[in-house]
Amino acid sequence: MREELSEDELLEKVTTSEYKYGFTTDIESDKIQKGLNEDTVRLISSKKNEPEWMLEYRLKAFDIWKEMDEPNWANINYPKPNYQDIIYYSAPKQKKKLNSLDDLDPELKKTFDKLGISLNEQKRLSGVAMDIVIDSVSVATSFKDKLAELGIIFCPISDAIKEHPELVKKYLGTVVPTRDNFFSALNSAVFSDGSFCYIPKGVKCPMELSTYFRINEAGTGQFERTLLIADEDSYVSYLEGCTAPQRDENQLHAAVVELVALDNAEIKYSTVQNWYPGDENGVGGVFNFVTKRGVCHKNSKISWTQVETGSAVTWKYPSCILKGDNSIGEFFSVAITNNLQQADTGTKMVHLGKNSKSTIIAKGICAGKSNGSYRGLVQIAKGAKNSRNFSQCDSLLMGDKCGSHTFPYIEVKNSSSQVEHEATTSKIGEDQIFYCNQRGIGTEEAIALIVNGYCKDVLNQLPMEFAVEAQKLLEISLEGSVG
Amino acid sequence: MLKIENLKAGIEEVKILNGIDLSVNAGEVHAIMGPNGSGKSTLSAVIAGNESYEVESGSIIFEGEDLLELDPDQRAHKGVFLSFQYPVEIPGISVSNFLKAAISEKRKQLGLDPISAKDLLGKMREKMELLNMKKGYLSRNMNEGFSGGEKKRNEIFQMAMLEPKLAILDETDSGLDIDALKIVANGVNKLKNKKNATIVITHYQRLLDYIIPDYVHVLHNGRIIKSGGKELALELEEKGYDWITKEADKKWG
Ligand SMILES: Nc1ncnc2c1ncn2[C@@H]1O[C@H](COP(=O)(O)OP(=O)(O)OP(=O)(O)O)[C@@H](O)[C@H]1O
Ligand SMILES: [Mg+2]
């Protein structure tokens, strides 16, 4: 007889499968001393040849951060990082700027190959322009010329600070103010790099803009900063994805993403997140504290789609401020936790404009001894007449050692608005697995199939190529290399 | 093809099957009838390998191989198919994707080349036609929101696609309207050949007018208490079960 595995044992085995992307790239890197003080902030700014106004922005943020306390309201437990024991700047040593991906460091290329993503192939097949962030500095930007023809700016934010200071000054920190929270203040002081994107009036960006992130230097905090502005009547779809190499010490990741959708604009922002989750004892995973927020002006729309499979600890609430009348906010999320992973994630939809609409579809999957929480806030202001929200929060439990929690907060301040909330918790049924088995589909495959079906509404929101990759990630994080 | 000897099985402490003997040869159709709760579905679940049931003793030999040594998916790959009395919903998985997964897995396990998308679709169309199925059905999610009859038809559609050697139809007729019954029975008959066999579990003689059995067995309290030809079904229809179950109860207590 084949090795007898009950569903529980199988889950156990799946749970203990090793992280597939646990490897590091051997690239020379330029880093500074551990620790954080005013001099660190000055050093980062000078290493990046920043203008004076940017340094001032950072110093002010540093002052604010010093006065703030780390939040502890989320349903997660983790050892608080020692902020003096972190390296705040690390850049791969790249002598010259790259014009094409062919000039990429062969080591980097190998890394991407290991991830199963051939950049050239991806470029050719999907017309994706990549702004690759390795550690903290962008090392390659492609399709720049094509985008430039349309007046689209897509570049590392460090370049934008120098080349488009008027745009950066106008929007940076307007959606996520420095003092918004502990991590946004920290990020504002020490952010290393990230992406900047501007879509001019009336322009529909003809390709998906994409960034692949990787943490690559031991003990380096990652402080990405992304600013995306869609001017009136424009459209853009932006993809963010990441995998991280295996580490023994916890790695802190505190990114800030700001989206601005001006009148009649639409932004689709998709994330596949696969930071290193730690080993089966939870050692060495990434701490992911992210502040993502978008503001919608009149008749505009922002959709957040995320597939969260990684990190030891995740703290993340992509949100929409529906400021303009008739604006639309959407949040589609799949969050998987396994082993000892903890995730506290969800969204905030703040309705200010009349007839504003929001939709929330959140799917949690918990396996192993993990803990997943959905935390959502739907806030409808007095003036947001006739606004509507629909929320659906489902959790799927695998095995009986994991936990799932839902914290929906609803505040409605006018009587013409409607809020609907649905929540379900389910387990994969033995009868479903037997049914699949009877048709010749093995248990492991059956679980993957059922999980995919469960996440379908969210996966469908992702661009095609990305959906395939996301499916692969779901399978990896739940099944690993069993067998 | 199938030889079951002295099969005893149950759930935890409860004995459900109390010694079943049954032989089925290629090309044959066997009908199993019997009162509610007599163990018909349990027997089919045990043949298919449902691990909720514990086999206490006895053997199930299929094509010379001991089925009890195999996992349910391996049994499926060998050609055992069960049309469920209560088909299960698999939300979010379309019928076509589900079948693609099932067929790909089977072919992989049998060392065959993967089937091309075109061939697969062609085959689905052909079988849909055979069973008179509505357009758009392939993209619906497995059994999700299906009516009772649609679920049953979906079972037979899967059978048609998977081409099993041994098909066990557990009350496939219940829930089907008169026209659907004819269509499904006609489909089952068309799929029949000298190399495969069918076990039909039913409460009604009506189905056996369309799918004509070579043997009829009566199951009661986990035992086959009477076997006969197709006339036995007619007799049961007329007289009910009392006349044989009473006798059997005297014998086994
Ligand atoms: N999973 C189970 N848990 C507890 N008891 C069970 C289970 N499965 C079957 N039984 C019991 O075993 C007996 C036989 O059930 P089974 O479903 O095999 O009957 P059946 O002959 O198919 O009946 P029906 O004609 O109503 O479909 C019944 O008394 C039933 O309650
Ligand atoms: Mg039954």
Side-chain angles (χ1 to χ4, degrees), chain A residues 1-5 430-432 434-443 445 449-450 452-454 456, chain B residues 50 68-69 71 73-74 76-77 80-82 84 88-89 91-93 98 102 105 141-143 155 158:
Chain A
M1 189 182 272
R2 200 157 69 180
E3 194 188 353
E4 256 308 302
L5 281 181
E430 270 170 36
D431 55 340
Q432 287 176 319
F434 177 62
Y435 189 83
C436 294
N437 286 165
Q438 209 303 303
R439 301 305 187 237
I441 301 166
T443 301
E445 179 98 344
L449 203 62
I450 293 166
N452 266 322
Y454 168 78
K456 197 171 171 182
Chain B
N50 189 331
L68 296 175
E69 294 290 303
D71 288 335
D73 50 322
Q74 293 172 314
H77 302 150
V80 175
F81 179 90
L82 171 60
F84 285 68
V88 179
E89 293 187 8
I93 300 297
F98 183 84
E105 194 60 29
N141 292 334
M142 274 304 283
N143 293 323
E155 295 292 288
Q158 293 175 67

Coordinates of all heavy atoms in Angstrom, one line a residue, chain A residues 1-5 430-432 434-443 445 449-450 452-454 456, chain B residues 50 68-69 71 73-74 76-77 80-82 84 88-89 91-93 98 102 105 141-143 155 158:
Chain A
M1 N 0.8 -1.2 0.0 CA 0.0 0.0 0.0 C 0.9 1.2 0.0 O 2.0 1.3 0.6 CB -0.9 0.0 1.2 CG -2.0 1.1 1.2 SD -3.0 1.1 2.6 CE -4.3 0.0 2.2
R2 N 0.4 2.3 -0.6 CA 1.1 3.5 -0.7 C 1.2 4.1 0.8 O 0.3 3.8 1.6 CB 0.3 4.5 -1.6 CG 1.1 5.7 -2.0 CD 0.5 6.2 -3.3 NE -0.8 6.9 -3.0 CZ -1.5 7.4 -3.9 NH1 -1.1 7.4 -5.2 NH2 -2.6 8.0 -3.6
E3 N 2.1 4.9 1.0 CA 2.2 5.5 2.4 C 0.9 6.1 2.8 O 0.4 6.9 2.1 CB 3.3 6.6 2.3 CG 3.8 7.0 3.7 CD 4.7 8.2 3.6 OE1 5.0 8.6 2.5 OE2 5.0 8.8 4.7
E4 N 0.4 5.6 3.9 CA -0.9 6.0 4.5 C -0.8 7.4 5.0 O 0.0 7.7 5.9 CB -1.3 5.2 5.7 CG -2.3 4.1 5.6 CD -3.6 4.3 5.0 OE1 -4.3 5.2 5.6 OE2 -4.0 3.6 4.1
L5 N -1.5 8.3 4.4 CA -1.5 9.7 5.0 C -2.9 10.1 5.2 O -3.7 10.2 4.3 CB -0.8 10.7 4.0 CG 0.7 10.7 4.0 CD1 1.1 11.7 3.0 CD2 1.3 10.9 5.3
E430 N -14.1 16.2 4.2 CA -13.6 14.9 3.9 C -14.4 14.4 2.7 O -13.8 13.7 1.8 CB -13.7 13.9 5.0 CG -12.5 13.9 5.9 CD -12.6 13.1 7.2 OE1 -13.4 12.1 7.1 OE2 -12.1 13.6 8.2
D431 N -15.7 14.7 2.7 CA -16.5 14.2 1.6 C -16.1 14.8 0.2 O -16.1 14.2 -0.8 CB -18.0 14.5 1.8 CG -18.3 16.0 2.1 OD1 -17.3 16.7 2.5 OD2 -19.4 16.4 2.0
Q432 N -15.6 16.1 0.3 CA -15.1 16.7 -1.0 C -13.8 16.0 -1.4 O -13.7 15.8 -2.6 CB -14.8 18.2 -0.7 CG -16.1 19.1 -0.6 CD -15.7 20.5 -0.2 OE1 -14.8 20.8 0.6 NE2 -16.4 21.4 -0.9
F434 N -12.9 13.0 -0.7 CA -13.2 11.6 -1.2 C -13.8 11.7 -2.6 O -13.5 10.9 -3.5 CB -14.1 10.9 -0.3 CG -14.5 9.5 -0.8 CD1 -13.6 8.5 -1.0 CD2 -15.8 9.2 -1.1 CE1 -13.9 7.3 -1.5 CE2 -16.2 8.0 -1.6 CZ -15.2 7.0 -1.8
Y435 N -14.6 12.7 -2.8 CA -15.3 12.8 -4.2 C -14.2 13.0 -5.2 O -14.2 12.3 -6.3 CB -16.2 14.0 -4.2 CG -17.1 14.1 -5.4 CD1 -18.2 13.4 -5.5 CD2 -16.7 15.0 -6.4 CE1 -19.0 13.5 -6.7 CE2 -17.5 15.1 -7.5 CZ -18.7 14.4 -7.7 OH -19.5 14.5 -8.8
C436 N -13.2 13.9 -4.9 CA -12.1 14.1 -5.9 C -11.3 12.8 -6.0 O -10.9 12.4 -7.2 CB -11.2 15.2 -5.4 SG -12.0 16.9 -5.4
N437 N -11.0 12.2 -4.9 CA -10.2 11.0 -4.9 C -10.9 9.9 -5.9 O -10.2 9.3 -6.7 CB -10.1 10.3 -3.6 CG -9.2 11.0 -2.6 OD1 -9.2 10.8 -1.4 ND2 -8.3 11.9 -3.1
Q438 N -12.2 9.8 -5.7 CA -12.9 8.8 -6.5 C -12.8 9.1 -8.0 O -12.9 8.2 -8.8 CB -14.4 8.8 -6.0 CG -15.1 7.5 -6.2 CD -15.0 6.9 -7.6 OE1 -15.5 7.6 -8.6 NE2 -14.5 5.7 -7.8
R439 N -12.6 10.4 -8.3 CA -12.4 10.7 -9.7 C -11.0 10.6 -10.2 O -10.6 11.0 -11.3 CB -13.0 12.1 -10.0 CG -14.5 12.3 -9.7 CD -15.4 11.2 -10.4 NE -16.8 11.6 -10.2 CZ -17.6 10.7 -9.6 NH1 -17.3 9.5 -9.2 NH2 -18.9 11.1 -9.5
G440 N -10.1 10.1 -9.3 CA -8.7 9.9 -9.6 C -7.8 11.1 -9.3 O -6.6 11.1 -9.6
I441 N -8.4 12.0 -8.5 CA -7.5 13.2 -8.2 C -7.0 12.9 -6.7 O -7.8 12.8 -5.8 CB -8.4 14.5 -8.2 CG1 -8.9 14.7 -9.6 CG2 -7.6 15.7 -7.7 CD1 -10.0 15.7 -9.7
G442 N -5.7 12.9 -6.6 CA -5.1 12.6 -5.3 C -5.4 13.7 -4.3 O -5.8 14.8 -4.6
T443 N -5.2 13.4 -3.0 CA -5.6 14.3 -1.9 C -4.9 15.6 -2.0 O -5.5 16.7 -1.9 CB -5.3 13.6 -0.6 OG1 -6.1 12.4 -0.5 CG2 -5.7 14.5 0.6
E445 N -3.5 17.1 -4.6 CA -4.1 17.8 -5.7 C -5.5 18.3 -5.5 O -5.9 19.4 -5.9 CB -4.1 16.8 -6.9 CG -4.6 17.3 -8.2 CD -3.5 17.7 -9.1 OE1 -2.3 17.9 -8.6 OE2 -3.7 17.9 -10.3
L449 N -6.9 22.1 -5.7 CA -8.0 22.4 -6.5 C -9.1 23.1 -5.7 O -9.7 24.1 -6.2 CB -8.6 21.1 -7.1 CG -9.4 21.1 -8.3 CD1 -8.5 21.5 -9.5 CD2 -9.9 19.6 -8.6
I450 N -9.4 22.6 -4.6 CA -10.5 23.2 -3.7 C -10.1 24.6 -3.3 O -10.9 25.5 -3.3 CB -10.8 22.3 -2.5 CG1 -11.4 21.0 -3.0 CG2 -11.7 23.0 -1.5 CD1 -11.5 19.9 -2.0
N452 N -8.0 26.6 -4.8 CA -8.1 27.5 -6.0 C -9.5 27.9 -6.3 O -9.8 29.1 -6.6 CB -7.5 26.8 -7.2 CG -6.1 27.1 -7.4 OD1 -5.7 28.3 -7.2 ND2 -5.3 26.2 -7.9
G453 N -10.4 27.0 -6.1 CA -11.8 27.3 -6.3 C -12.3 28.3 -5.3 O -13.0 29.3 -5.7
Y454 N -11.8 28.1 -4.1 CA -12.2 29.0 -3.0 C -11.7 30.5 -3.3 O -12.4 31.4 -2.9 CB -11.7 28.4 -1.7 CG -11.7 29.3 -0.5 CD1 -12.9 29.5 0.2 CD2 -10.5 30.0 -0.1 CE1 -12.9 30.3 1.3 CE2 -10.5 30.7 1.0 CZ -11.7 30.9 1.7 OH -11.7 31.7 2.8
K456 N -11.1 31.8 -6.3 CA -11.3 32.1 -7.6 C -11.7 33.6 -7.8 O -11.2 34.3 -8.7 CB -12.4 31.2 -8.2 CG -12.5 31.2 -9.7 CD -13.4 30.1 -10.1 CE -13.8 30.1 -11.5 NZ -14.8 29.0 -11.7
Chain B
N50 N -13.7 4.6 0.5 CA -14.0 5.7 1.4 C -13.4 5.3 2.8 O -13.8 4.3 3.4 CB -15.5 5.9 1.5 CG -15.8 7.1 2.4 OD1 -15.1 7.5 3.3 ND2 -16.9 7.8 2.0
L68 N -8.4 -3.5 -1.6 CA -8.3 -2.9 -0.2 C -6.9 -2.4 0.1 O -6.7 -1.7 1.0 CB -8.7 -4.0 0.8 CG -10.1 -4.4 0.8 CD1 -10.4 -5.6 1.8 CD2 -11.1 -3.3 1.0
E69 N -5.9 -2.8 -0.8 CA -4.5 -2.3 -0.6 C -4.3 -0.9 -1.3 O -3.3 -0.3 -1.2 CB -3.5 -3.3 -1.2 CG -3.5 -4.6 -0.5 CD -2.8 -4.5 0.9 OE1 -1.7 -4.0 0.9 OE2 -3.5 -4.8 1.9
D71 N -5.3 3.1 -2.5 CA -6.0 4.4 -2.1 C -7.2 4.6 -3.1 O -7.1 4.1 -4.2 CB -5.0 5.6 -2.2 CG -4.0 5.5 -1.0 OD1 -4.3 4.9 0.0 OD2 -2.9 6.0 -1.2
D73 N -7.9 7.1 -5.0 CA -7.6 7.6 -6.3 C -6.9 6.5 -7.2 O -7.1 6.5 -8.4 CB -6.7 8.9 -6.2 CG -5.5 8.7 -5.3 OD1 -5.7 8.1 -4.2 OD2 -4.5 9.3 -5.6
Q74 N -6.2 5.6 -6.5 CA -5.6 4.6 -7.3 C -6.6 3.6 -7.8 O -6.5 3.1 -8.9 CB -4.6 3.8 -6.4 CG -3.4 4.6 -6.0 CD -2.5 4.0 -5.0 OE1 -3.0 3.4 -4.0 NE2 -1.2 4.0 -5.2
A76 N -9.6 4.5 -8.6 CA -10.2 5.2 -9.7 C -9.3 5.0 -11.0 O -9.8 4.8 -12.1 CB -10.4 6.6 -9.4
H77 N -8.0 5.1 -10.8 CA -7.1 4.9 -12.0 C -7.2 3.5 -12.6 O -7.1 3.3 -13.8 CB -5.7 5.2 -11.6 CG -5.5 6.6 -11.0 ND1 -4.5 6.9 -10.1 CD2 -6.1 7.7 -11.3 CE1 -4.6 8.1 -9.8 NE2 -5.5 8.7 -10.5
V80 N -12.3 2.0 -11.4 CA -13.5 1.9 -10.6 C -14.2 3.3 -10.5 O -13.5 4.3 -10.3 CB -13.2 1.5 -9.1 CG1 -14.4 1.5 -8.2 CG2 -12.6 0.1 -9.1
F81 N -15.5 3.3 -10.8 CA -16.2 4.6 -10.8 C -17.5 4.5 -10.0 O -18.2 3.5 -10.1 CB -16.6 5.0 -12.3 CG -17.3 6.3 -12.3 CD1 -16.7 7.5 -12.4 CD2 -18.7 6.3 -12.2 CE1 -17.4 8.7 -12.5 CE2 -19.4 7.5 -12.2 CZ -18.8 8.7 -12.4
L82 N -17.7 5.5 -9.2 CA -18.9 5.5 -8.3 C -19.7 6.7 -8.7 O -19.3 7.9 -8.6 CB -18.5 5.5 -6.8 CG -19.6 5.8 -5.8 CD1 -20.7 4.7 -5.9 CD2 -19.1 5.8 -4.4
F84 N -22.3 8.9 -7.2 CA -22.7 9.1 -5.8 C -24.2 9.3 -5.7 O -24.8 9.9 -6.5 CB -22.0 10.4 -5.3 CG -20.6 10.2 -4.9 CD1 -19.6 10.0 -5.9 CD2 -20.1 10.2 -3.6 CE1 -18.3 9.8 -5.6 CE2 -18.8 10.0 -3.3 CZ -17.9 9.8 -4.3
V88 N -21.2 15.6 -4.4 CA -20.7 16.7 -3.5 C -20.4 17.9 -4.3 O -19.9 17.9 -5.4 CB -19.4 16.2 -2.8 CG1 -18.8 17.2 -1.9 CG2 -19.7 14.9 -2.1
E89 N -20.7 19.1 -3.7 CA -20.4 20.4 -4.3 C -18.9 20.7 -4.1 O -18.4 20.6 -3.1 CB -21.2 21.5 -3.7 CG -22.7 21.3 -4.0 CD -23.5 22.6 -3.5 OE1 -22.9 23.6 -3.1 OE2 -24.7 22.5 -3.6
P91 N -17.2 24.1 -4.7 CA -17.3 25.4 -5.2 C -16.1 26.0 -5.9 O -15.0 25.7 -5.6 CB -17.6 26.2 -3.9 CG -17.9 25.2 -2.9 CD -17.2 23.9 -3.3
G92 N -16.4 26.8 -6.9 CA -15.3 27.5 -7.6 C -14.6 26.7 -8.6 O -13.7 27.2 -9.3
I93 N -14.9 25.4 -8.8 CA -14.2 24.6 -9.8 C -15.2 24.2 -10.9 O -16.2 23.6 -10.6 CB -13.7 23.3 -9.2 CG1 -12.7 23.6 -8.1 CG2 -13.0 22.4 -10.3 CD1 -11.4 24.3 -8.5
F98 N -12.5 20.5 -13.5 CA -12.5 19.4 -12.7 C -12.2 18.1 -13.5 O -11.3 17.3 -13.1 CB -13.9 19.2 -12.0 CG -13.9 18.1 -11.0 CD1 -13.5 18.2 -9.7 CD2 -14.4 16.8 -11.4 CE1 -13.5 17.2 -8.8 CE2 -14.5 15.8 -10.5 CZ -14.0 16.0 -9.2
A102 N -9.1 15.5 -13.4 CA -9.3 14.0 -13.2 C -8.6 13.2 -14.3 O -7.9 12.2 -14.1 CB -10.8 13.7 -13.1
E105 N -4.7 13.5 -14.4 CA -4.1 12.7 -13.3 C -4.2 11.2 -13.7 O -3.2 10.5 -13.5 CB -4.9 12.9 -12.0 CG -4.2 12.4 -10.8 CD -2.9 13.1 -10.5 OE1 -2.6 14.2 -10.9 OE2 -2.0 12.4 -9.9
N141 N -19.9 25.6 -11.8 CA -19.0 25.0 -10.8 C -19.6 23.6 -10.4 O -20.8 23.5 -10.4 CB -18.9 25.9 -9.6 CG -18.1 27.1 -9.9 OD1 -17.3 27.1 -10.8 ND2 -18.4 28.2 -9.2
M142 N -18.7 22.7 -10.2 CA -19.1 21.3 -9.9 C -20.2 21.2 -8.8 O -20.0 21.5 -7.7 CB -17.9 20.6 -9.3 CG -17.0 19.9 -10.3 SD -17.8 18.8 -11.5 CE -17.9 17.4 -10.4
N143 N -21.4 20.8 -9.3 CA -22.5 20.6 -8.5 C -23.1 21.7 -7.7 O -24.1 21.6 -7.0 CB -22.3 19.4 -7.5 CG -22.1 18.1 -8.3 OD1 -22.7 17.8 -9.3 ND2 -21.2 17.3 -7.8
E155 N -23.1 13.2 -12.8 CA -22.3 12.0 -12.4 C -22.1 11.1 -13.7 O -21.0 10.6 -13.9 CB -23.1 11.2 -11.4 CG -23.2 11.9 -10.0 CD -21.9 12.0 -9.3 OE1 -21.4 11.1 -8.8 OE2 -21.4 13.2 -9.3
Q158 N -19.6 12.4 -16.0 CA -18.2 12.1 -15.6 C -17.9 10.7 -15.9 O -16.8 10.4 -16.4 CB -18.1 12.4 -14.1 CG -18.2 13.8 -13.8 CD -18.1 14.0 -12.3 OE1 -17.1 13.8 -11.6 NE2 -19.3 14.4 -11.7

